[in-house]
Amino acid sequence: MLYSSEHTSWMHSVNPAMKLGAMILGMAVILFIHNVNVLLVLTGLLTGLLFLTSGHPANRVALFLLPFLFVFISTGMSMVLFGQGDTLWWQWGPVNISRESFFRGLHVALRALCFGMMGLLFALTTRPVLLFYSLMQQLKLPPRYAYGFMASLRLLPLILQEFKTLRRAYKVRGVQFRSNGRGLVQRMKMYAIPLLAQSIRRAQRIAVSMEARQFNRQGDRTYYYQTGFSGMDALMLFSWIGIFTIAWWIGWHFPFVEITDVRF
């Protein structure tokens, strides 16, 4: 995750489980929005919410948005250039740009961009440890799954460090790999097998340790971090409902384009 404790806002205080549920519900709602005008307004409102509540400087947030802008362009262009429509604007070989394909491509691109901004907002404002604690306490996720996920996140840096150590060891010993396909297969074997063996042994030790501490036992447990609900959760809920309501109202009553349903 992209969470950073150096930059915080009120969105960071929202219960992670409730925030996750709101994001999933918002994505589900977007799947049923076929009005380009509504999506245009919704994209603008989500962009403003992201920049105002992420807690990060605007230039950093803009940098994080670059991959999603690439997805926006690539997703939209594939639909615009090769879509079908009755009102043809431009044609060259297999490329057909029509009025209908343009707005359908814009609709798909805006939907993908909204998904990306929701995910980025969640990643920038949610601490992974508190997310799993919230899932255990509010959604009753079994501790063995939650702590297992947290342990796997902690193991990723160790695996990367082992990979670097293994690469230095091969370099010191003068191991050379061919540049063809056979050398690629040899490289994968010499790296994958030791890393896999180390991961299996480490996973076995963690499983035994968790079982000894009765993480597989059903019942009430004590937690180092206590998560609950507060006024920030109500603020986030009202903000979320307000964003979708305003987008729907402006999109239908003050449309930017005359097409209100891209399916037809």
Side-chain angles (χ1 to χ4, degrees), residues 216-241:
N216 58 344
R217 179 177 60 86
Q218 299 296 330
D220 296 333
R221 302 184 62 91
T222 57
Y223 299 99
Y224 187 79
Y225 294 105
Q226 293 292 333
T227 60
F229 298 102
S230 64
M232 296 297 101
D233 302 291
L235 178 59
M236 195 270 180
L237 184 60
F238 285 124
S239 301
W240 209 239
I241 295 175

Side-chain angles (χ1 to χ4, degrees), residues 21 24 27 30 34 46 68 99 106 125 167 188 256 264:
I24 295 175
M27 292 180 182
I30 291 177
H34 305 290
L46 287 176
F68 301 105
R99 176 173 173 270
L106 180 62
T125 60
R167 184 175 59 182
M188 292 179 62
F256 304 100
F264 304 103

